[in-house]
Coordinates of all heavy atoms in Angstrom, one line a residue:
M1 N 111.0 98.0 46.6 CA 111.1 98.3 48.0 C 109.8 98.2 48.7 O 109.8 97.6 49.8 CB 111.7 99.7 48.2 CG 112.0 100.0 49.6 SD 113.4 99.0 50.2 CE 113.5 99.6 51.8
E2 N 108.7 98.7 48.1 CA 107.4 98.6 48.8 C 106.9 97.2 48.9 O 106.3 96.8 49.9 CB 106.4 99.5 48.0 CG 106.7 101.0 48.1 CD 105.8 101.8 47.1 OE1 105.1 101.1 46.4 OE2 105.9 103.0 47.2
I3 N 107.2 96.4 47.9 CA 106.8 95.0 47.9 C 107.5 94.2 49.0 O 106.9 93.4 49.7 CB 107.1 94.3 46.5 CG1 106.2 95.0 45.5 CG2 106.9 92.8 46.6 CD1 106.4 94.5 44.0
L4 N 108.8 94.5 49.2 CA 109.6 93.9 50.2 C 109.0 94.2 51.6 O 108.8 93.4 52.5 CB 111.1 94.3 50.1 CG 112.0 93.7 51.2 CD1 112.0 92.2 51.1 CD2 113.4 94.3 51.1
L5 N 108.7 95.5 51.8 CA 108.1 96.0 53.0 C 106.8 95.3 53.3 O 106.5 94.9 54.4 CB 108.0 97.5 53.0 CG 107.4 98.1 54.3 CD1 108.2 97.8 55.5 CD2 107.2 99.6 54.1
A6 N 105.9 95.2 52.3 CA 104.6 94.5 52.4 C 104.8 93.1 52.8 O 104.1 92.5 53.6 CB 103.9 94.6 51.1
L7 N 105.8 92.4 52.2 CA 106.0 91.0 52.5 C 106.5 90.8 53.9 O 106.1 89.9 54.6 CB 107.1 90.4 51.5 CG 106.6 90.1 50.1 CD1 107.8 89.7 49.2 CD2 105.5 89.1 50.1
V8 N 107.4 91.7 54.4 CA 107.8 91.7 55.8 C 106.7 91.9 56.7 O 106.5 91.2 57.7 CB 109.0 92.7 56.0 CG1 109.3 92.9 57.5 CG2 110.2 92.4 55.3
I9 N 105.8 92.8 56.4 CA 104.6 93.0 57.3 C 103.7 91.8 57.3 O 103.2 91.4 58.4 CB 103.9 94.3 56.8 CG1 104.7 95.5 57.1 CG2 102.5 94.4 57.6 CD1 104.2 96.8 56.6
V10 N 103.4 91.2 56.1 CA 102.6 90.1 56.0 C 103.2 88.9 56.8 O 102.5 88.1 57.6 CB 102.3 89.7 54.6 CG1 101.6 88.3 54.5 CG2 101.4 90.7 53.9
A11 N 104.5 88.7 56.7 CA 105.2 87.6 57.4 C 105.1 87.9 58.9 O 104.9 86.9 59.7 CB 106.7 87.5 57.0
A12 N 105.3 89.1 59.4 CA 105.2 89.4 60.8 C 103.8 89.1 61.3 O 103.6 88.5 62.4 CB 105.6 90.8 61.1
I13 N 102.8 89.5 60.6 CA 101.4 89.2 61.0 C 101.1 87.7 61.0 O 100.5 87.2 62.0 CB 100.4 90.0 60.1 CG1 100.5 91.5 60.3 CG2 99.0 89.5 60.3 CD1 99.8 92.3 59.3
A14 N 101.6 87.0 60.0 CA 101.4 85.6 60.0 C 102.1 84.9 61.2 O 101.5 84.0 61.8 CB 101.9 85.0 58.7
W15 N 103.3 85.3 61.5 CA 104.0 84.8 62.6 C 103.2 85.0 63.9 O 103.0 84.1 64.7 CB 105.4 85.4 62.7 CG 106.2 84.8 63.9 CD1 106.8 83.6 63.9 CD2 106.3 85.4 65.1 NE1 107.4 83.5 65.2 CE2 107.1 84.6 65.9 CE3 105.9 86.6 65.7 CZ2 107.4 84.9 67.2 CZ3 106.2 86.9 67.0 CH2 107.0 86.0 67.8
F16 N 102.7 86.3 64.1 CA 102.0 86.6 65.3 C 100.7 85.8 65.4 O 100.4 85.4 66.6 CB 101.7 88.1 65.3 CG 101.0 88.6 66.5 CD1 101.6 88.7 67.7 CD2 99.6 88.9 66.5 CE1 101.0 89.2 68.9 CE2 98.9 89.3 67.6 CZ 99.6 89.5 68.8
V17 N 100.0 85.7 64.4 CA 98.7 85.0 64.4 C 98.9 83.5 64.7 O 98.0 82.9 65.3 CB 97.9 85.2 63.1 CG1 96.7 84.4 63.0 CG2 97.5 86.7 63.0
T18 N 99.9 82.9 64.2 CA 100.1 81.5 64.4 C 100.9 81.1 65.7 O 101.1 79.9 65.9 CB 100.9 80.9 63.2 OG1 102.2 81.5 63.1 CG2 100.1 81.0 61.9
V19 N 101.2 82.0 66.5 CA 101.9 81.7 67.8 C 101.1 80.7 68.6 O 101.7 79.7 69.1 CB 102.1 83.0 68.6 CG1 102.6 82.7 70.1 CG2 103.2 83.8 67.9
P20 N 99.8 80.8 68.8 CA 99.1 79.8 69.6 C 99.2 78.4 69.0 O 99.2 77.4 69.7 CB 97.6 80.3 69.7 CG 97.7 81.7 69.3 CD 98.9 81.9 68.5
L21 N 99.3 78.3 67.7 CA 99.4 77.0 67.1 C 100.7 76.4 67.2 O 100.9 75.1 67.1 CB 99.0 77.2 65.6 CG 97.6 77.7 65.3 CD1 97.4 77.9 63.8 CD2 96.5 76.8 65.8
R22 N 101.7 77.2 67.5 CA 103.1 76.7 67.6 C 103.5 76.4 69.1 O 104.7 76.2 69.3 CB 104.0 77.7 67.0 CG 103.8 77.8 65.4 CD 104.8 78.7 64.8 NE 104.4 80.1 64.9 CZ 105.0 81.1 65.5 NH1 106.2 80.8 66.1 NH2 104.5 82.3 65.6
R23 N 102.6 76.4 70.0 CA 103.0 76.2 71.4 C 103.4 74.8 71.6 O 102.9 73.8 71.1 CB 101.8 76.4 72.3 CG 101.5 77.8 72.6 CD 100.4 77.9 73.7 NE 100.0 79.3 73.9 CZ 99.0 79.7 74.6 NH1 98.2 78.8 75.0 NH2 98.8 80.9 74.8
S24 N 104.4 74.6 72.5 CA 104.8 73.3 72.9 C 103.8 72.7 74.0 O 103.0 73.5 74.5 CB 106.2 73.3 73.4 OG 106.2 74.0 74.7
E25 N 103.9 71.5 74.2 CA 103.0 70.9 75.2 C 103.3 71.5 76.6 O 102.3 71.6 77.4 CB 103.2 69.4 75.2 CG 102.6 68.7 74.1 CD 102.7 67.1 74.2 OE1 102.6 66.6 75.3 OE2 102.8 66.5 73.1
D26 N 104.5 71.8 76.9 CA 104.8 72.4 78.2 C 104.1 73.8 78.4 O 103.6 74.1 79.4 CB 106.3 72.5 78.4 CG 107.0 71.2 78.5 OD1 106.3 70.2 78.9 OD2 108.2 71.1 78.2
E27 N 104.2 74.6 77.3 CA 103.6 75.9 77.3 C 102.1 75.7 77.4 O 101.5 76.6 78.1 CB 104.0 76.7 76.1 CG 105.5 77.1 76.1 CD 105.9 77.7 74.8 OE1 105.2 77.4 73.7 OE2 106.8 78.5 74.8
A28 N 101.6 74.8 76.7 CA 100.1 74.6 76.7 C 99.6 74.2 78.1 O 98.6 74.6 78.6 CB 99.7 73.6 75.7
S29 N 100.4 73.3 78.8 CA 100.0 72.8 80.1 C 100.2 73.9 81.1 O 99.4 74.1 82.0 CB 100.7 71.6 80.5 OG 102.1 71.9 80.6
A30 N 101.2 74.8 80.9 CA 101.4 75.9 81.8 C 100.2 76.9 81.6 O 99.7 77.5 82.6 CB 102.7 76.6 81.5
A31 N 99.8 77.2 80.4 CA 98.7 78.1 80.2 C 97.4 77.5 80.8 O 96.6 78.2 81.3 CB 98.5 78.3 78.7
A32 N 97.2 76.2 80.7 CA 96.0 75.6 81.3 C 96.0 75.7 82.8 O 95.0 75.9 83.4 CB 95.9 74.1 80.8
A33 N 97.2 75.6 83.4 CA 97.3 75.7 84.9 C 96.9 77.2 85.3 O 96.5 77.4 86.5 CB 98.7 75.4 85.3
L34 N 97.2 78.1 84.4 CA 96.9 79.5 84.8 C 95.5 79.9 84.7 O 95.0 81.0 85.2 CB 97.8 80.5 83.9 CG 99.3 80.4 84.2 CD1 100.0 81.3 83.2 CD2 99.6 80.8 85.6
T35 N 94.6 79.0 84.1 CA 93.2 79.4 84.0 C 92.6 79.4 85.4 O 93.0 78.6 86.3 CB 92.5 78.4 83.1 OG1 92.6 77.1 83.6 CG2 93.0 78.4 81.7
E36 N 91.6 80.2 85.5 CA 91.0 80.4 86.8 C 90.1 79.3 87.3 O 89.4 78.7 86.4 CB 90.2 81.7 86.8 CG 89.8 82.2 88.2 CD 89.3 83.6 88.2 OE1 88.9 84.1 87.1 OE2 89.2 84.2 89.2
D37 N 90.2 79.0 88.5 CA 89.4 77.9 89.1 C 87.9 78.4 89.0 O 87.6 79.6 89.3 CB 89.8 77.8 90.6 CG 89.0 76.8 91.3 OD1 88.3 75.9 90.7 OD2 89.1 76.7 92.6
P38 N 87.0 77.5 88.7 CA 85.6 77.9 88.5 C 85.0 78.4 89.9 O 84.2 79.3 89.9 CB 84.9 76.7 88.1 CG 85.9 75.8 87.5 CD 87.2 76.2 88.1
A39 N 85.4 77.8 91.0 CA 84.9 78.3 92.3 C 85.4 79.7 92.6 O 84.6 80.5 93.1 CB 85.4 77.3 93.4
V40 N 86.6 80.0 92.2 CA 87.1 81.4 92.5 C 86.4 82.4 91.5 O 86.0 83.4 92.0 CB 88.7 81.4 92.2 CG1 89.2 82.9 92.2 CG2 89.4 80.6 93.2
A41 N 86.2 81.9 90.3 CA 85.4 82.8 89.4 C 84.1 83.1 89.9 O 83.5 84.2 89.7 CB 85.4 82.2 88.0
E42 N 83.4 82.1 90.4 CA 82.0 82.3 90.9 C 82.0 83.2 92.1 O 81.2 84.1 92.2 CB 81.4 80.9 91.3 CG 80.0 80.9 91.7 CD 79.7 81.2 93.1 OE1 80.5 80.8 94.0 OE2 78.6 81.7 93.5
L43 N 83.0 83.1 93.0 CA 83.1 84.0 94.2 C 83.5 85.4 93.7 O 83.0 86.4 94.3 CB 84.2 83.5 95.1 CG 83.8 82.2 95.9 CD1 85.0 81.6 96.6 CD2 82.7 82.6 96.9
E44 N 84.3 85.6 92.7 CA 84.6 86.9 92.1 C 83.3 87.6 91.6 O 83.1 88.7 91.8 CB 85.6 86.8 91.0 CG 87.0 86.6 91.5 CD 87.7 87.8 92.1 OE1 87.1 88.9 92.0 OE2 88.7 87.7 92.8
A45 N 82.5 86.7 90.9 CA 81.2 87.3 90.4 C 80.3 87.7 91.6 O 79.6 88.7 91.5 CB 80.6 86.2 89.5
R46 N 80.2 86.9 92.6 CA 79.4 87.2 93.8 C 79.9 88.5 94.4 O 79.2 89.3 94.9 CB 79.4 86.1 94.8 CG 78.5 84.9 94.3 CD 78.5 83.8 95.3 NE 78.3 84.2 96.7 CZ 78.7 83.5 97.8 NH1 79.3 82.4 97.6 NH2 78.5 83.9 99.0
K47 N 81.3 88.6 94.5 CA 81.8 89.8 95.1 C 81.5 91.1 94.4 O 81.0 92.1 94.9 CB 83.4 89.7 95.2 CG 84.1 90.9 95.7 CD 85.6 90.8 95.6 CE 86.0 91.1 94.2 NZ 87.4 91.2 94.0
E48 N 81.6 91.0 93.0 CA 81.2 92.2 92.2 C 79.8 92.5 92.3 O 79.4 93.7 92.3 CB 81.7 91.9 90.7 CG 83.1 91.9 90.5 CD 83.9 93.2 91.0 OE1 83.3 94.2 90.7 OE2 84.9 93.0 91.5
A49 N 78.9 91.5 92.4 CA 77.5 91.7 92.5 C 77.2 92.4 93.8 O 76.3 93.3 93.9 CB 76.7 90.4 92.4
K50 N 77.9 92.0 94.9 CA 77.7 92.6 96.2 C 78.1 94.0 96.2 O 77.5 94.9 96.8 CB 78.4 91.8 97.3 CG 78.0 92.1 98.7 CD 76.5 91.9 99.0 CE 76.0 90.5 98.8 NZ 74.6 90.4 99.1
Y51 N 79.3 94.3 95.6 CA 79.8 95.7 95.5 C 78.7 96.5 94.8 O 78.5 97.7 95.1 CB 81.1 95.7 94.8 CG 82.3 95.2 95.6 CD1 83.5 95.1 95.0 CD2 82.2 94.9 97.0 CE1 84.6 94.7 95.7 CE2 83.3 94.5 97.7 CZ 84.5 94.3 97.1 OH 85.6 93.9 97.8
R52 N 78.2 96.0 93.7 CA 77.1 96.7 93.0 C 75.9 97.0 93.8 O 75.4 98.1 93.8 CB 76.7 95.9 91.7 CG 75.9 96.7 90.7 CD 75.7 95.9 89.4 NE 76.8 95.0 89.0 CZ 76.8 93.6 89.1 NH1 75.6 93.0 89.5 NH2 77.7 93.0 88.7
E53 N 75.5 96.1 94.7 CA 74.4 96.3 95.6 C 74.8 97.4 96.6 O 73.9 98.2 96.9 CB 74.1 95.0 96.4 CG 73.4 93.9 95.6 CD 73.1 92.7 96.4 OE1 72.4 92.9 97.5 OE2 73.5 91.6 96.1
I54 N 76.0 97.4 97.1 CA 76.4 98.5 98.0 C 76.3 99.8 97.3 O 75.8 100.8 97.9 CB 77.8 98.2 98.6 CG1 77.7 96.9 99.5 CG2 78.3 99.4 99.3 CD1 79.1 96.5 99.9
R55 N 76.8 99.9 96.1 CA 76.8 101.2 95.3 C 75.4 101.6 95.1 O 75.0 102.8 95.2 CB 77.6 101.1 94.1 CG 79.1 101.1 94.2 CD 79.8 101.2 92.9 NE 79.5 100.2 91.9 CZ 80.1 99.0 91.8 NH1 81.1 98.8 92.6 NH2 79.7 98.1 90.9
D56 N 74.5 100.7 94.7 CA 73.1 101.0 94.5 C 72.4 101.5 95.7 O 71.6 102.5 95.6 CB 72.3 99.7 94.0 CG 72.7 99.3 92.6 OD1 73.4 100.2 91.9 OD2 72.4 98.2 92.1
A57 N 72.7 100.9 96.8 CA 72.1 101.4 98.1 C 72.6 102.8 98.4 O 71.8 103.7 98.9 CB 72.5 100.4 99.3
E58 N 73.9 103.1 98.2 CA 74.4 104.4 98.4 C 73.7 105.4 97.5 O 73.4 106.6 97.9 CB 75.9 104.4 98.2 CG 76.6 103.7 99.3 CD 78.1 103.6 99.1 OE1 78.6 103.9 98.0 OE2 78.8 103.2 100.0
L59 N 73.5 105.0 96.2 CA 72.8 105.9 95.3 C 71.4 106.2 95.7 O 70.9 107.3 95.7 CB 72.9 105.3 93.9 CG 72.3 106.1 92.8 CD1 73.0 107.4 92.6 CD2 72.3 105.4 91.5
D60 N 70.7 105.1 96.2 CA 69.3 105.3 96.6 C 69.2 106.2 97.8 O 68.3 107.0 97.9 CB 68.7 103.9 97.1 CG 68.4 103.0 95.8 OD1 68.4 103.5 94.7 OD2 68.2 101.8 96.0
R61 N 70.2 106.2 98.7 CA 70.2 107.1 99.9 C 70.4 108.5 99.4 O 69.8 109.4 99.9 CB 71.4 106.7 100.8 CG 71.5 107.6 102.0 CD 72.7 107.3 102.9 NE 73.9 107.2 102.1 CZ 74.8 108.2 102.1 NH1 74.6 109.4 102.7 NH2 75.9 108.1 101.4
E62 N 71.4 108.7 98.5 CA 71.7 110.0 97.9 C 70.5 110.6 97.2 O 70.3 111.9 97.2 CB 72.9 110.0 97.0 CG 74.2 109.7 97.7 CD 75.3 109.5 96.7 OE1 75.2 109.7 95.5 OE2 76.5 109.2 97.2
Q63 N 69.7 109.8 96.6 CA 68.5 110.2 95.8 C 67.3 110.4 96.7 O 66.2 110.8 96.2 CB 68.2 109.3 94.7 CG 69.3 109.3 93.6 CD 69.0 108.3 92.5 OE1 68.2 107.4 92.6 NE2 69.7 108.5 91.4
G64 N 67.4 110.0 98.0 CA 66.3 110.2 98.9 C 65.3 109.0 98.9 O 64.3 109.1 99.5
K65 N 65.7 107.9 98.2 CA 64.8 106.7 98.2 C 64.9 105.9 99.5 O 64.0 105.1 99.8 CB 65.2 105.8 97.0 CG 64.9 106.5 95.7 CD 65.4 105.5 94.6 CE 65.2 106.2 93.2 NZ 65.6 105.3 92.1
L66 N 66.0 106.1 100.2 CA 66.2 105.4 101.5 C 66.5 106.4 102.6 O 67.2 107.4 102.4 CB 67.4 104.4 101.5 CG 67.3 103.1 100.7 CD1 68.6 102.4 100.7 CD2 66.2 102.2 101.4
S67 N 65.8 106.2 103.8 CA 66.2 107.0 104.9 C 67.6 106.7 105.4 O 68.1 105.6 105.1 CB 65.1 106.8 106.0 OG 65.2 105.6 106.5
Q68 N 68.1 107.6 106.2 CA 69.4 107.3 106.8 C 69.4 106.0 107.6 O 70.4 105.2 107.5 CB 69.9 108.5 107.6 CG 71.3 108.4 108.1 CD 72.4 108.4 107.0 OE1 72.2 109.0 106.0 NE2 73.5 107.8 107.2
A69 N 68.4 105.8 108.4 CA 68.3 104.6 109.2 C 68.2 103.4 108.4 O 68.9 102.3 108.6 CB 67.1 104.7 110.2
D70 N 67.3 103.4 107.4 CA 67.2 102.2 106.4 C 68.5 101.9 105.8 O 69.0 100.8 105.6 CB 66.1 102.4 105.4 CG 64.7 102.4 106.1 OD1 64.6 101.8 107.2 OD2 63.8 102.9 105.4
W71 N 69.2 103.0 105.3 CA 70.5 102.8 104.6 C 71.5 102.3 105.5 O 72.3 101.4 105.1 CB 70.9 104.2 104.0 CG 72.3 104.0 103.4 CD1 72.6 103.5 102.2 CD2 73.5 104.3 104.0 NE1 73.9 103.5 102.0 CE2 74.5 104.0 103.1 CE3 73.8 104.9 105.2 CZ2 75.9 104.2 103.4 CZ3 75.2 105.1 105.5 CH2 76.2 104.8 104.6
S72 N 71.6 102.8 106.7 CA 72.6 102.3 107.7 C 72.4 100.8 107.9 O 73.4 100.0 107.9 CB 72.5 103.0 109.0 OG 72.8 104.4 108.8
R73 N 71.2 100.4 108.1 CA 70.9 98.9 108.4 C 71.2 98.1 107.1 O 71.9 97.1 107.2 CB 69.4 98.8 108.7 CG 69.1 97.4 109.2 CD 67.6 97.2 109.6 NE 66.7 97.6 108.6 CZ 65.9 98.7 108.6 NH1 66.0 99.6 109.6 NH2 65.1 99.0 107.6
Q74 N 70.8 98.6 106.0 CA 71.1 97.8 104.7 C 72.6 97.8 104.4 O 73.1 96.8 104.0 CB 70.3 98.4 103.5 CG 70.4 97.6 102.3 CD 69.5 98.2 101.2 OE1 69.1 99.4 101.3 NE2 69.3 97.5 100.1
D75 N 73.2 98.9 104.6 CA 74.7 99.0 104.3 C 75.5 98.1 105.2 O 76.3 97.3 104.8 CB 75.2 100.5 104.5 CG 76.6 100.6 104.1 OD1 76.9 100.4 102.9 OD2 77.4 101.0 105.0
A76 N 75.1 98.0 106.5 CA 75.8 97.1 107.4 C 75.6 95.7 107.0 O 76.6 94.9 107.0 CB 75.3 97.4 108.8
E77 N 74.4 95.3 106.6 CA 74.2 93.9 106.2 C 74.9 93.6 104.9 O 75.5 92.5 104.8 CB 72.6 93.7 106.0 CG 72.3 92.3 105.5 CD 70.8 92.2 105.3 OE1 70.0 93.0 105.8 OE2 70.4 91.3 104.5
L78 N 74.9 94.5 103.9 CA 75.6 94.2 102.7 C 77.1 94.1 102.8 O 77.7 93.3 102.3 CB 75.2 95.4 101.7 CG 73.8 95.4 101.1 CD1 73.6 96.6 100.3 CD2 73.6 94.1 100.2
R79 N 77.6 95.0 103.7 CA 79.1 94.9 104.0 C 79.4 93.6 104.7 O 80.5 93.1 104.5 CB 79.5 96.1 104.7 CG 79.5 97.4 103.8 CD 79.9 98.7 104.4 NE 79.7 99.8 103.6 CZ 80.5 100.3 102.7 NH1 81.7 99.7 102.5 NH2 80.2 101.3 101.9
R80 N 78.6 93.2 105.6 CA 78.8 91.9 106.3 C 78.9 90.8 105.3 O 79.7 89.9 105.4 CB 77.7 91.7 107.4 CG 78.2 91.5 108.8 CD 77.1 91.1 109.8 NE 75.7 91.4 109.4 CZ 75.1 92.6 109.8 NH1 75.8 93.5 110.4 NH2 73.9 92.8 109.4
E81 N 77.9 90.8 104.4 CA 77.9 89.7 103.4 C 79.1 89.8 102.4 O 79.6 88.8 102.0 CB 76.6 89.8 102.5 CG 75.3 89.5 103.3 CD 74.1 89.9 102.6 OE1 74.1 90.4 101.5 OE2 73.0 89.7 103.2
A82 N 79.5 91.1 102.1 CA 80.7 91.2 101.3 C 81.9 90.7 102.0 O 82.8 90.1 101.4 CB 80.9 92.7 100.9
I83 N 82.1 91.0 103.3 CA 83.2 90.4 104.1 C 83.2 88.9 104.0 O 84.3 88.3 103.9 CB 83.2 91.0 105.5 CG1 83.5 92.5 105.4 CG2 84.2 90.3 106.4 CD1 83.3 93.3 106.7
A84 N 82.1 88.3 104.2 CA 82.0 86.8 104.2 C 82.4 86.3 102.8 O 83.2 85.3 102.8 CB 80.6 86.4 104.5
I85 N 82.0 87.0 101.7 CA 82.4 86.6 100.4 C 83.9 86.7 100.2 O 84.6 85.8 99.7 CB 81.7 87.3 99.3 CG1 80.2 87.0 99.3 CG2 82.3 87.1 98.0 CD1 79.3 87.9 98.5
L86 N 84.5 87.8 100.7 CA 86.0 88.0 100.6 C 86.7 87.0 101.4 O 87.8 86.5 101.0 CB 86.3 89.4 101.1 CG 85.9 90.5 100.2 CD1 86.1 91.9 100.9 CD2 86.6 90.5 98.9
K87 N 86.2 86.6 102.6 CA 86.9 85.5 103.3 C 86.8 84.2 102.6 O 87.8 83.4 102.6 CB 86.2 85.4 104.7 CG 86.6 86.5 105.6 CD 85.9 86.4 107.0 CE 86.3 87.6 107.9 NZ 85.7 87.5 109.2
E88 N 85.7 83.9 102.0 CA 85.5 82.6 101.2 C 86.5 82.7 100.0 O 87.1 81.6 99.7 CB 84.1 82.5 100.6 CG 83.1 82.1 101.6 CD 81.7 81.9 101.0 OE1 81.6 81.1 100.0 OE2 80.8 82.6 101.4
L89 N 86.6 83.8 99.4 CA 87.5 84.0 98.3 C 89.0 83.7 98.7 O 89.7 83.1 98.0 CB 87.3 85.4 97.7 CG 88.0 85.7 96.4 CD1 87.5 84.7 95.3 CD2 87.6 87.1 95.9
D90 N 89.3 84.3 99.8 CA 90.7 84.1 100.3 C 91.0 82.6 100.6 O 92.0 82.1 100.2 CB 91.0 84.8 101.6 CG 91.1 86.3 101.4 OD1 91.4 86.7 100.2 OD2 91.0 87.1 102.3
R91 N 90.0 81.9 101.2 CA 90.1 80.5 101.4 C 90.2 79.7 100.1 O 91.0 78.8 100.0 CB 89.0 80.0 102.3 CG 89.1 80.3 103.8 CD 88.1 79.5 104.6 NE 86.7 79.8 104.3 CZ 86.0 80.8 104.8 NH1 86.5 81.6 105.7 NH2 84.7 81.0 104.4
A92 N 89.5 80.1 99.1 CA 89.4 79.4 97.9 C 90.8 79.6 97.2 O 91.3 78.6 96.6 CB 88.3 79.8 97.0
R93 N 91.3 80.7 97.3 CA 92.6 81.0 96.6 C 93.8 80.4 97.3 O 94.8 79.9 96.7 CB 92.9 82.5 96.5 CG 92.0 83.2 95.5 CD 92.3 84.7 95.4 NE 91.6 85.3 94.3 CZ 91.2 86.5 94.3 NH1 91.6 87.3 95.2 NH2 90.5 87.0 93.2
E94 N 93.7 80.2 98.6 CA 94.7 79.5 99.4 C 94.7 78.1 99.1 O 95.8 77.4 99.0 CB 94.6 79.8 100.9 CG 94.9 81.2 101.3 CD 94.6 81.4 102.8 OE1 94.1 80.5 103.5 OE2 94.8 82.6 103.2
G95 N 93.5 77.5 98.9 CA 93.4 76.1 98.7 C 93.8 75.7 97.2 O 94.0 74.6 96.9
A96 N 93.8 76.7 96.3 CA 94.0 76.4 94.9 C 95.5 76.2 94.6 O 96.4 76.4 95.3 CB 93.5 77.5 94.0

């Protein structure tokens, strides 16, 4: 009984591991179509970097490294840039 159970488990694992090798051409082309556009990926990376800059500026303000006036000016500029990136990202996704 234990041998039969072990064989069933091995067969299930082998079936699961070989699924990518058993794809049809239609499935492969559909998977390729779902890959992300490099331009969108680059814009996503820029967006995340800009969000990180905003968080860093907020942390600097909380730690007293930036005055309220400096932080306000920097925050407004960073958020303007983030909005521009988001608009570009929307256009890139609509065009794709």
Side-chain angles (χ1 to χ4, degrees):
M1 184 67 178
E2 292 173 354
I3 294 174
L4 180 62
L5 181 60
L7 288 174
V8 169
I9 292 173
V10 168
I13 292 172
W15 179 81
F16 181 76
V17 169
T18 60
V19 167
L21 302 174
R22 293 183 278 120
R23 281 188 183 167
S24 68
E25 287 185 32
D26 293 335
E27 291 172 334
S29 63
L34 292 177
T35 57
E36 192 170 18
D37 179 16
V40 172
E42 189 267 334
L43 287 168
E44 284 285 347
R46 285 179 48 204
K47 177 186 80 168
E48 291 303 319
K50 194 56 63 179
Y51 286 172
R52 195 174 322 110
E53 286 182 57
I54 292 170
R55 285 191 303 269
D56 288 346
E58 289 173 351
L59 184 62
D60 287 348
R61 178 185 52 99
E62 290 172 6
Q63 293 177 344
K65 295 178 182 178
L66 283 175
S67 68
Q68 185 66 30
D70 289 340
W71 174 79
S72 295
R73 186 175 59 251
Q74 186 176 17
D75 186 63
E77 180 182 337
L78 290 171
R79 289 180 189 272
R80 237 186 338 270
E81 292 169 0
I83 290 170
I85 292 169
L86 290 173
K87 287 179 180 177
E88 285 181 60
L89 190 56
D90 285 342
R91 282 192 297 271
R93 286 184 176 153
E94 288 172 0

